[in-house]
Amino acid sequence: MSTGKRLAKRSILGTRVACMSEDGKYYPSIICNVKQMDEGKGPTVYTVRVEGEHRRRDVRESDLVGSGFVNVNSVKLRSGQKVYITHNQREIHGAVLYHRPNIDEVLISIINPE
């Protein structure tokens, strides 16, 4: 039996993104819900669960970094922001010391895991 409606091939729910928090830093998050304000005419609001937190937050599309959202190259990272990089063929984490987007330079402090 067909309903006439096409189902979406991919759902955005469960997508991993980085979400801007109140402190201006980005944290790993997962999209839990999508809301369209004002009957489809207003901005889209996403409900995300930030890793390490037990609550959910509603955020605007412009506060999300990831595939289909704001590109990581167009955001300014804050000092102390946790980031993941590839170093010696291994993914490790570090903290941003400073970010100069005008010259495309980020200084990161890393701790050698060995």
Side-chain angles (χ1 to χ4, degrees):
M1 183 164 111
S2 176
T3 62
K5 291 185 178 180
R6 275 186 83 199
L7 296 175
K9 290 185 179 182
R10 295 185 185 162
S11 173
I12 197 161
L13 301 181
T15 301
R16 297 179 58 82
V17 293
C19 171
M20 182 186 283
S21 188
E22 292 85 15
D23 62 1
K25 296 178 184 175
Y26 290 90
Y27 294 94
S29 307
I30 297 174
I31 296 176
C32 301
N33 193 12
V34 180
K35 301 178 202 172
Q36 189 75 36
M37 298 298 176
D38 298 330
E39 299 175 8
K41 297 177 185 171
T44 303
V45 176
Y46 296 87
T47 303
V48 297
R49 182 178 50 84
V50 179
E51 288 184 8
E53 293 183 9
H54 296 291
R55 63 184 178 97
R56 295 176 183 207
R57 300 179 354 164
D58 289 340
V59 294
R60 298 172 295 167
E61 187 172 6
S62 60
D63 291 337
L64 296 176
V65 174
S67 181
F69 297 99
V70 176
N71 190 335
V72 70
N73 294 333
S74 62
V75 298
K76 181 165 178 17
L77 300 173
R78 302 264 181 162
S79 179
Q81 168 75 55
K82 186 176 183 179
V83 293
Y84 291 90
I85 62 168
T86 302
H87 178 68
N88 292 334
Q89 290 97 24
R90 296 182 68 188
E91 185 178 83
I92 60 172
H93 70 274
V96 173
L97 297 177
Y98 65 83
H99 181 198
R100 295 181 182 155
N102 56 334
I103 59 172
D104 200 23
E105 179 180 81
V106 181
L107 182 63
I108 300 171
S109 172
I110 59 172
I111 299 173
N112 194 349
E114 297 168 354

